Amino acid sequence: MKRLPTTCPSCGSQLEIAELHCTACDTTVRGAYPLDRFAALSGEDEQFLLTFLAARGNLKEVQDRLDLSYPTVRGRLDRVLAALGLSGDDKSAEKAAHKPDIMELLDKLEAGDLSVDTVLKTIKEGSDEPSDGTTE
């Protein structure tokens, strides 16, 4: 399923909804409507949040459902909170949103989803996603 784009592909600025259309009656509504903050979550973060809510906030249960280490689950929760602007400290929120989750990368390495070179490169670059996604 395609996700709603939230940033401009040309300049990276936040997009707004400008027009809505009803296919049943052909009504069109125009205006400037900001996107909901949940729309900015990545697919992975959205799935994590749904799992977290289904587990009623129990991190141990989230850990078991996603088969991840506790530090990885904690890091993902921090990342989701930062993306939603709920982490309290703006500087730490921005840092958490862009810092690679070492434990998550190690879990993916152990599962064979990433190569050692990819993990090392991702950590050195400080990005939040592996740059090439290939495994060896």
Side-chain angles (χ1 to χ4, degrees):
M1 178 170 91
K2 288 187 177 181
R3 293 186 56 84
L4 180 68
T6 59
T7 56
C8 175
S10 296
C11 71
S13 296
Q14 187 72 30
L15 293 174
E16 286 187 346
I17 297 172
E19 184 174 294
L20 300 169
H21 180 76
C22 177
T23 57
C25 68
D26 207 29
T27 298
T28 299
V29 179
R30 290 191 178 124
Y33 304 98
L35 290 172
D36 185 271
R37 68 170 113 178
F38 292 99
L41 291 177
S42 69
E44 184 179 52
D45 286 346
E46 181 182 340
Q47 188 57 49
F48 175 83
L49 182 58
L50 291 173
T51 303
F52 178 80
L53 292 172
R56 294 178 165 23
N58 182 322
L59 293 182
K60 174 67 174 141
E61 188 173 334
V62 173
Q63 177 184 344
D64 292 341
R65 286 183 183 203
L66 297 178
D67 194 30
L68 297 171
S69 67
Y70 181 84
T72 297
V73 169
R74 187 69 202 183
R76 282 197 184 176
L77 178 59
D78 289 343
R79 185 173 73 193
V80 169
L81 289 171
L84 295 174
L86 299 174
S87 60
D89 179 14
D90 290 339
K91 288 181 183 178
S92 67
E94 186 175 324
K95 188 176 179 183
H98 298 291
K99 182 177 128 184
D101 185 336
I102 305 298
M103 293 307 296
E104 184 173 351
L105 290 171
L106 292 175
D107 286 343
K108 288 180 179 181
L109 175 64
E110 183 177 42
D113 295 335
L114 295 175
S115 69
V116 173
D117 290 338
T118 300
V119 170
L120 290 173
K121 185 175 179 184
T122 303
I123 293 170
K124 286 179 184 177
E125 291 175 353
S127 64
D128 36 344
E129 290 297 323
S131 55
D132 64 58
T134 59
T135 60
E136 291 180 355

